[in-house]
Amino acid sequence: MAILPIVQYPAPVLAETAKPVADITEEIRTLAADMAETMYDAPGVGLAAPQIDRSIRLVTIDVSEEKNHLITMINPEIIATGEEKDTGEEGCLSLPGIYEKVNRFTEVTVRYQDLEGKTIEMEADGLLAICIQHELDHLDGKVFVDHLSQLKRNRACTKLRKLRQQATKDNQ
Ligand code: NI
């Protein structure tokens, strides 16, 4: 297992549409394990393969308090949503320090393959539903600030630049 470097916004890979995983090989299983380790180390509640510079449809999620409920989704798709939406604050490991309110469905049904290739359908609500929508966005080349108005996105990007400049200074 290994902790992988997390790609930072606005890297081009974060704007690409990720390719389906054709075969669940040993390499994919190792990558999924490394992604989980990277996610727990960050720490974060979700990580999508484009964030570790692999443009494939693979995500890891764990929204549990005890960090003992890892979900690995291969080729996930949202096949149904509830009718309600709600607005909550989100962050992303590719935009550290940026938190903005995003409007999402409160309930989703997701279909994916697990690491054994079994097709799973799962209904989710709460934080898990939000996290699924956030991570699946990454597979379609979208980050959470893309949901914001141009003005708010610009403001978030300016803040991100300032945070990075500060971090560089602090390291000197
Ligand atoms: Ni993210």
Side-chain angles (χ1 to χ4, degrees), residues 59 86-87 104 157 162 166-167:
V59 307
D86 200 5
T87 302
R104 304 272 193 194
C157 291
K162 281 191 186 149
Q166 194 56 48

Side-chain angles (χ1 to χ4, degrees), residues 43-80:
V45 294
L47 190 68
Q51 293 182 276
I52 48 101
D53 205 22
R54 289 292 303 271
S55 193
I56 57 171
R57 304 187 86 81
L58 168 64
V59 307
T60 57
I61 291 175
D62 189 345
V63 297
S64 69
E65 295 242 328
E66 303 79 16
K67 299 294 162 208
N68 59 1
H69 193 69
L70 175 64
I71 307 171
T72 301
M73 296 185 181
I74 297 167
N75 301 326
E77 293 175 78
I78 290 170
I79 55 169

Side-chain angles (χ1 to χ4, degrees), residues 6-9 14 39 42-48 51 60 63 87-104 127 130-138 142-148 156 159-160 163:
I6 296 173
V7 170
Q8 296 299 300
Y9 180 81
L14 295 175
M39 173 181 80
V45 294
L47 190 68
Q51 293 182 276
T60 57
V63 297
T87 302
E89 200 167 68
E90 292 183 27
C92 180
L93 296 175
S94 294
L95 295 88
I98 304 297
Y99 300 92
E100 294 286 345
K101 290 198 162 113
V102 180
N103 199 29
R104 304 272 193 194
L127 181 57
I130 294 164
C131 190
I132 288 169
Q133 291 168 87
H134 177 117
E135 299 313 327
L136 268 61
D137 269 357
H138 277 300
K142 218 168 171 186
V143 293
F144 77 104
V145 293
D146 292 329
H147 288 277
L148 306 177
K159 186 176 175 202
L160 192 59
L163 287 172

